[in-house]
Amino acid sequence: MSQQGYVAAPPYSQSQPGIGGFSAGFGPPNSSLHYGHYGDPNSSYSAPQPGVSKSNVPFGSSAPVGAPPPGTHQFGQTNFQNGPNAPGQQPHRFQGPPPPSNAGPSYPPYSHQSQPAYPNTASPSAAAQLANQLTSMQITSYGNHTAQSSHMSSGHPTSLQGPQLPPPSQQQMALPPGSQVPPPANNADGLCAQPSLPPVARQDGIPGPVLPHPNLQQLPGQPLGPGYHPQQANYGPQMAGSQLSYPGAFPGGPAQLAGPQQKKLDPDSIPSPIQVIESDKASRGGQVYVTNTRGQVPPLVTTDCVIQDQGHASPRYIRCTTYCFPSSSDMAKQARIPLAAVIQPFAIVPPNEAPLYVVNHGENGPIRCNRCKAYMCPFMQFIEGGRRYQCGFCNCINDVPPFFFQHLDHVGRRVDHYERPELSLGSYEYVATLDYCRNNKPPKPPAYIFMIDVSYRNINSGLVKLICDELKTLLDKLPREEQEESSGIQVGFVTYNKVLHFFNVKSSLAQPQMMVVSDVGEVFVPLLDGFLVNFQESRSVVINLLDQIPEMFADTNESETIFAPVIQAGMEALKAAECAGKLFIFHSSLPTAEAPGKLRNRDDKKLLNTDKEKTLFQPQVNCYEALARDCVANGCCVNLFLFPNQYVDVVSMGLVTMYTGGTLHKYSNFQLDADSPRFLSDLRRDIETKSGFDAIMRVRTSTGFRATDFFGAVYMNNTTDVEMAAVDCDKAVTVEFKHDDKLSEDSGALIQCAVLYTSISGQRRLRIHNIGLNCSSQLADVYKTCETDALINFFAKSAFKAILSQPLKAVREILVNQTAHMLACYRKNCASPSAVSQLVLPDAMKVLPVYMNSLLKSCVLVGRPEIPTDERAYHRQLVTSMGVADTQVFFYPCLLPIHSLDLKSDAVPAAVRCSEERLSEGGAFLLANGLSLFLWLGVSAPPELIQGLFNVPSFAHISTEATSLPDLDNPFSKKMKSILERIQSQKPYTMKLVIVKQREQPEMLFRQFLVEDKNIYGGASYVDFLCCVHKEICQLLA
């Protein structure tokens, strides 16, 4: 068992003032508990308030606290814990949607001076105490990886702990003591913002004050560490004092704290995501990964390999938070590791891997267990000479249908085992019979309806013409099955402002005909025959219509729009045609016209960081939820393209898109020249992507555990059926499991995901994915097989769901708690004995803290007036449906040193850590997180690089207005283009390139993505967060 260990601050084990016993609970925070009392100079910690007891609970058990806050219908108490609820037991984790990453290019400039929220009242003695703690902070690392050079800096005690005897298979690394970070610059962009451990007063008396770093004073003449020298720029706010309840909560400006100056902690000595990614690539990249073993841990999402299905679903379809489940619910509660699977049922399989086989049993249909209805799969055991089989999920004995009978060989395996996909593969498809179809009738091919907002602004900006021109070529590329010559998808067209215009484009007409529906309160479809048509048959009429639409509305003065009736109309049209389909809606403003779904501007900054902040993430009116339900029931998926110039209430407008499995795109302050390529690229991808329509997903499990919670762009009408009007290759559903009995180590934990859907050709199919996990009564086995990337996907989605019903502060605290709890349990039960002051991390989770800190700093979980509510809602919605690969890069962006390109090879330069320390004046760096793309240029970037990429002679000549690089015939330009294409090809959203020059204002935006550093909005640096988590662990273990 390899594990990564840390020694951090010996005195952490001493009792701290104001830190009570650990409580797992959350709930409405007691109004009288504050963040660490910045404002009261007389008290250095938060004393227990009347009526709030500090619960001293043994580690691993839940505190008996009151019930969670009343929430919406989705948040019953059962959502919150492993196993059935014990009376009075405190739920230990929230369920919720995920957090988006910080910032989007639409943020306003930071023109005003934001004030620190609290005066800094840390006492010098307290600062000195922490100084002493940090002086002796050493970091020791275990693990089966190459030991880094071990050296001790002079002047520090090296024998704070007795000699450590690592287990035989471990190597020991001693890293330099003195957890130190560069002193802060009192500068606007916070290049070296001070790390600090904020006062943290958790609501049930968890930790009390955590004192600031001792080494934050600005020392004259002190160099600021590697990287470039910060400029005293005159733009942007000072580092505002964040009010987060985790590290990074000190006001800006240099902290006047006493304490000896120490050597800076070498960032290379704390676990690096880049090192983890690169070592996995080195050991498993380019190889064939065979899925023939239950419970094996797959290569990371960042590792390129060939996956060969031999009985368990490819990790492209299913990834788990751990590949070994604890055998009992008590163990699960002790470890607090969420047991979850991230399922991406339609994930793209690369050309060098086998596509899914389709099994067709004709009228007999798929073979299923009589009791639990699981589908035939490799987990079924054939007995009695092949005449019967035992279900691997519920152990029921079933007769084998005569048509499916086959003899067994000498090891009890059917002789046709390898000829039948459903017996030998983890993933395959069945052709469904009429029993699986709506009204027992075969479905029709789906339809696409294009609905264009033709209000004044969209006509005037040229957007309507752009859409119409693009559709002329795109309609030839509608998706089709490989064996078909043309697509079976039908198309229809609607335009709207305050009223709806339907178009008859029947092939027999010479000209398209327009029908106006002005009664938007009771929408009806004015024509059936001729509205939905085959594009190839009606080509001339459709092209004619697309030419006419921009001219038809050229003189419009109508600026008000409707929205809900537009969706209603599209759904009614699909319902009348008895087919499923997608609506592509192009909309730009808040729907203020008198009609159902009318919205007002409710963007109230006063609600930030209050208990009412959650209302900003709840829809403004009920009609959108009802509309979403109807859309799902009729197989109508909504893809929404928003072009807002101001607040449009993304929460309300995007709700139907989220519930129907659609995709939301947002282009703030859309400029035709700058933003067209990105919009058109997104539109092409959305139209050409193959989807499954009118889909229902069910997840079955073997006995002993069950699926309890589902997170994603889905609708749940009951507790088991996940309904999606459509599902595409990018959408993932994260499923949480809880024990309802003991699990057997012999039979393991089996999961089967079945998705019933209509294909683009109109065939009803079942897509089946099976995976088997191990079970163990040893916690070490559970920790050893964890996957950090899947854990972060789960935590993000559950946190983003929780903010609908809980204050953000409570949600953030639960995340910090959860991190500390998982690591403390490992330390207590799995790690080799070591000094209390040592921070020990399991090898499989050693980079969990950096990802968790990044999640805590995401704009969804940080309520700041500078961050538009729409941006937060947009990120929240996107993350909710992301798969593991997308959340990985979203929370830890990829930072590539472009100046070190090897022009002679195809290789992309190795990524570097997301920190300002990695930047250099003489370099150029590309940063991508799946939504944003930055090219950062140092002031001394090589002239040949600048000439090669921009065709200008020097740094000063580069224009930051450009959103793409010029096409130049030179090796630099060609190599850069190929890197950009490669990065983009793996992501569902087209990223707009932002060019950032060192020491210019846009650099502020870029810095928010350097997730290892302190954030402009007050989030902690990675080092600080590690200290904070370590302190909590020490409290739990004390």
Side-chain angles (χ1 to χ4, degrees), residues 713-943:
V714 297
Y715 182 76
M716 301 282 297
N717 210 14
N718 54 40
T719 55
T720 54
D721 293 332
V722 180
E723 297 183 56
M724 298 169 279
V727 54
D728 62 35
C729 59
D730 303 314
K731 301 292 183 294
V733 180
T734 300
V735 184
E736 185 177 16
F737 303 99
K738 300 270 171 68
H739 288 76
D740 46 23
D741 204 348
K742 278 196 101 113
L743 297 176
S744 148
E745 296 195 26
D746 295 336
S747 51
L750 309 179
I751 298 168
Q752 182 179 81
C753 164
V755 184
L756 174 65
Y757 73 99
T758 301
S759 72
I760 43 176
S761 59
Q763 187 179 46
R764 202 71 176 146
R765 287 189 184 175
L766 279 152
R767 180 169 286 213
I768 313 291
H769 297 299
N770 306 284
I771 189 168
L773 308 176
N774 288 336
C775 297
S776 176
S777 56
Q778 301 298 314
L779 278 169
D781 295 333
V782 179
Y783 279 95
K784 195 161 53 183
T785 58
C786 281
E787 184 178 314
T788 295
D789 296 330
L791 280 166
I792 282 299
N793 181 284
F794 171 84
F795 283 127
K797 292 186 180 186
S798 54
F800 287 11
K801 184 173 175 182
I803 63 172
L804 294 176
S805 59
Q806 298 189 58
L808 260 73
K809 175 175 177 261
V811 172
R812 290 194 299 262
E813 287 175 355
I814 292 161
L815 287 171
V816 178
N817 256 324
Q818 181 86 8
T819 309
H821 226 287
M822 292 190 295
L823 298 176
C825 176
Y826 175 80
R827 167 64 185 273
K828 182 179 178 185
N829 299 287
C830 311
S832 52
S834 58
V836 174
S837 59
Q838 186 167 11
L839 172 57
V840 182
L841 300 176
D843 204 51
M845 279 190 191
K846 64 186 177 190
V847 292
L848 181 68
V850 71
Y851 281 98
M852 191 63 97
N853 189 37
S854 179
L855 165 57
L856 286 163
K857 293 192 281 190
S858 75
C859 69
V860 181
L861 294 184
V862 177
R864 298 286 303 195
E866 303 93 331
I867 308 176
T869 305
D870 274 348
E871 192 71 15
R872 298 172 71 195
Y874 174 60
H875 282 204
R876 178 182 174 271
Q877 184 157 334
L878 295 195
V879 174
T880 299
S881 63
M882 277 185 183
V884 177
D886 292 334
T887 50
Q888 186 277 327
V889 77
F890 189 72
F891 292 115
Y892 196 90
C894 177
L895 184 63
L896 300 174
I898 295 304
H899 53 278
S900 55
L901 282 179
D902 181 354
L903 299 176
K904 297 189 179 68
S905 89
D906 289 339
V908 174
V912 296
R913 294 173 70 161
C914 262
S915 169
E916 173 257 319
E917 296 212 329
R918 308 291 156 166
L919 305 178
S920 56
E921 288 195 355
F925 293 81
L926 191 67
L927 182 144
N929 79 337
L931 288 186
S932 305
L933 184 64
F934 294 92
L935 177 56
W936 181 92
L937 300 157
V939 286
S940 311

Side-chain angles (χ1 to χ4, degrees), residues 487-499:
S487 174
I489 292 175
Q490 293 192 297
V491 294
F493 302 89
V494 173
T495 57
Y496 65 94
N497 37 47
K498 269 167 72 169
V499 296

Side-chain angles (χ1 to χ4, degrees), residues 1 143-144 165-172 832:
M1 178 76 207
N144 299 331
L165 298 173
S169 63
Q170 298 171 344
Q171 290 168 286
Q172 183 169 359
S832 52

Side-chain angles (χ1 to χ4, degrees), residues 549-561:
I549 286 175
E551 295 164 14
M552 208 182 295
F553 299 98
D555 299 327
T556 185
N557 289 320
E558 187 54 74
S559 57
E560 282 196 313
T561 56

Side-chain angles (χ1 to χ4, degrees), residues 415-648:
V415 296
D416 63 350
H417 177 85
Y418 290 108
E419 293 156 32
R420 290 194 175 271
E422 70 271 38
L423 300 182
S424 57
L425 298 179
S427 301
Y428 44 88
E429 291 202 319
Y430 279 117
V431 175
T433 57
L434 290 180
D435 298 341
Y436 294 87
C437 301
R438 207 182 273 272
N439 305 324
N440 286 30
K441 292 192 331 199
K444 296 178 182 175
Y448 285 0
I449 302 177
F450 299 93
M451 315 185 87
I452 305 170
D453 165 2
V454 289
S455 58
Y456 171 79
R457 217 188 94 206
N458 283 4
I459 292 288
N460 206 35
S461 69
L463 179 62
V464 173
K465 185 173 190 323
L466 179 73
I467 294 166
C468 292
D469 288 347
E470 184 63 22
L471 286 178
K472 290 181 214 168
T473 54
L474 265 185
L475 292 175
D476 275 322
K477 298 176 184 169
L478 292 171
R480 57 187 170 85
E481 298 287 7
E482 264 119 44
Q483 66 275 15
E484 293 181 338
E485 286 183 20
S486 65
S487 174
I489 292 175
Q490 293 192 297
V491 294
F493 302 89
V494 173
T495 57
Y496 65 94
N497 37 47
K498 269 167 72 169
V499 296
L500 292 150
H501 321 105
F502 287 76
F503 295 93
N504 183 343
V505 283
K506 202 173 174 177
S507 57
S508 55
L509 296 173
Q511 285 281 340
Q513 295 174 346
M514 181 167 90
M515 296 184 165
V516 179
V517 175
S518 52
D519 181 4
V520 290
E522 293 288 332
V523 174
F524 65 97
V525 182
L527 75 160
L528 291 179
D529 186 33
F531 176 62
L532 291 177
V533 298
N534 178 298
F535 175 64
Q536 302 304 340
E537 291 170 9
S538 294
R539 173 185 289 274
S540 60
V541 192
V542 170
I543 298 289
N544 197 336
L545 169 67
L546 293 172
D547 284 335
Q548 286 183 31
I549 286 175
E551 295 164 14
M552 208 182 295
F553 299 98
D555 299 327
T556 185
N557 289 320
E558 187 54 74
S559 57
E560 282 196 313
T561 56
I562 54 174
F563 185 66
V566 179
I567 299 175
Q568 182 84 30
M571 182 196 71
E572 296 290 350
L574 293 175
K575 190 174 172 182
E578 296 183 338
C579 69
K582 280 190 185 184
L583 311 182
F584 292 83
I585 303 180
F586 306 91
H587 189 95
S588 67
S589 57
L590 199 66
T592 53
E594 279 306 323
K598 174 184 175 179
L599 298 174
R600 61 184 172 78
N601 187 336
R602 53 150 183 176
D603 189 15
D604 186 357
K605 301 291 183 193
K606 293 193 197 75
L607 299 182
L608 299 181
N609 297 306
T610 70
D611 283 359
K612 290 187 177 174
E613 183 170 6
K614 57 180 176 274
T615 60
L616 295 175
F617 295 100
Q618 297 162 357
Q620 190 178 140
V621 289
N622 294 334
C623 100
Y624 287 103
E625 233 165 300
L627 191 53
R629 190 170 53 243
D630 291 347
C631 284
V632 172
N634 290 288
C636 169
C637 170
V638 178
N639 275 15
L640 178 58
F641 295 81
L642 280 174
F643 305 87
N645 275 359
Q646 52 201 15
Y647 177 76
V648 289

Side-chain angles (χ1 to χ4, degrees), residues 350-414:
N352 58 351
E353 292 176 19
L356 292 192
Y357 288 90
V358 179
V359 179
N360 191 346
H361 289 321
E363 291 179 5
N364 294 299
I367 298 166
R368 306 178 68 176
C369 169
N370 291 328
R371 184 196 288 164
C372 70
K373 302 300 181 196
Y375 294 87
M376 179 56 67
C377 70
F379 305 146
M380 306 300 190
Q381 186 68 42
F382 289 87
I383 53 176
E384 297 179 23
R387 289 188 298 279
R388 307 179 90 188
Y389 68 92
Q390 182 172 19
C391 174
F393 296 91
C394 69
N395 300 321
C396 175
I397 307 287
N398 296 270
D399 291 329
V400 173
F403 80 89
F404 195 67
F405 173 78
Q406 187 53 272
H407 295 285
L408 307 185
D409 64 13
H410 65 288
V411 293
R413 178 183 277 169
R414 284 174 54 125

